[in-house]
Amino acid sequence: LGGKSEPTVSAGAGLASSRGSSIGTSGTKATLDEMQPTELAPAGNPPQTFFTQCTIASIKPDQTMWYNACPEPSCNKKVIEEGSGYWCEAHQQSFQSFKRRYIMSFKAIDRSGHCWMSTFNEQ
């Protein structure tokens, strides 16, 4: 129809695949419904890890997709902009820079149900 053709790229292009890697292999395979706790674990207990296959049904539209975090390598706490620096409450210190940490909330679905999840930089 005489229009300009634009190349298309898969939504997952460039993302690492978990096939053949150790991602998720330390957890139990479960559906989303099976992952819902019957009661909350006491504070201080180690987190439970699950491996599941699901589909992202929607991404929360009104969220900020990142936050400014402490530049220290071992700290992921949010910093507060103040004057010419960024204050880290965890370190009780002001820094001249920050690192950007990404976070995304999304609704996941599988054959058993749905739930809201959050994913961060390294996940």
Side-chain angles (χ1 to χ4, degrees):
L1 302 165
K4 185 176 171 184
S5 174
E6 294 291 330
T8 59
V9 178
S10 169
L15 297 177
S17 170
S18 63
R19 290 189 180 124
S21 75
S22 63
I23 297 174
T25 57
S26 63
T28 304
K29 188 172 182 179
T31 64
L32 294 176
D33 187 54
E34 293 168 338
M35 289 190 298
Q36 302 303 314
T38 54
E39 60 183 58
L40 292 177
N45 279 17
Q48 291 182 302
T49 304
F50 296 98
F51 174 76
T52 190
Q53 185 172 358
C54 58
T55 301
I56 296 176
S58 63
I59 296 172
K60 189 175 176 189
D62 59 344
Q63 69 182 326
T64 302
M65 299 288 279
W66 65 84
Y67 65 94
N68 299 336
C70 177
E72 292 292 313
S74 62
C75 185
N76 295 324
K77 301 291 183 185
K78 185 176 182 177
V79 293
I80 301 165
E81 188 173 356
E82 61 169 20
S84 62
Y86 301 90
W87 178 257
C88 176
E89 195 68 36
H91 286 96
Q92 293 292 303
Q93 182 180 347
S94 186
F95 295 92
Q96 292 301 310
S97 64
F98 61 86
K99 63 183 175 185
R100 185 161 280 172
R101 300 242 334 136
Y102 294 92
I103 181 171
M104 181 180 70
S105 295
F106 59 93
K107 185 176 185 178
I109 60 172
D110 72 2
R111 61 183 167 80
S112 70
H114 68 273
C115 69
W116 282 93
M117 296 182 173
S118 294
T119 186
F120 300 89
N121 257 23
E122 63 280 345
Q123 299 174 331

